[in-house]
Amino acid sequence: MKETTEEGLPKYAVNLAPGWLRWLWGGLACFFIALGVIGAILPGLPSAVFIVLGAWAASRCSRRLHQWIEEHHLFGHCLEIWRSGYISRRTKLVASVTMALSLAIAVHHVNNGYLLVFTIAGLGCGAIWIWSRPEPKGARGHRHSVKS
């Protein structure tokens, strides 16, 4: 069960932004959530990172939208996994293969040496970060137990 405040909000919920900034955060939340949904359908576009960003932006604009994302049957699980700090071996392998394919496409199509160096550096940093995250103990695949 998630820890909540006296108002029933998740303990990690951020205070709402003032005035017109709430509209800005709301627009960003909807944009990121839409990208996350598209990413779940299209290969090559990540979904989890956009759902996490959407939840963060929603926490700044609307408690109701934030609560909806947190309790959604698909998005909520994604956010729980993110907060756990774990990345499953399967997810690491899929990310690595995707990065390798992206690099192969870049090497084949990009003629700018500086751009290739930055691409390699960025993908390398991403791979190091992903593989440095702990894996859940005793679980296989993407769906795993989340530590409390």
Side-chain angles (χ1 to χ4, degrees), residues 70-90:
E70 293 290 337
E71 295 175 357
H72 192 273
H73 69 282
L74 296 174
F75 303 152
H77 179 72
C78 175
L79 295 170
E80 286 179 34
I81 291 171
W82 172 255
R83 285 192 193 93
S84 75
Y86 293 131
I87 298 179
S88 70
R89 173 77 45 106
R90 177 177 170 257

Side-chain angles (χ1 to χ4, degrees), residues 24-87:
L24 177 67
W25 287 113
L28 282 173
C30 292
F31 175 71
F32 287 137
I33 292 167
L35 284 177
V37 170
I38 292 169
I41 298 167
L42 292 178
L45 182 66
S47 61
V49 67
F50 291 121
I51 297 302
V52 171
L53 287 170
W56 175 70
S59 73
R60 309 289 263 147
C61 73
S62 167
R63 289 186 171 110
R64 192 167 144 196
L65 178 59
H66 186 248
Q67 185 174 3
W68 175 80
I69 294 170
E70 293 290 337
E71 295 175 357
H72 192 273
H73 69 282
L74 296 174
F75 303 152
H77 179 72
C78 175
L79 295 170
E80 286 179 34
I81 291 171
W82 172 255
R83 285 192 193 93
S84 75
Y86 293 131
I87 298 179

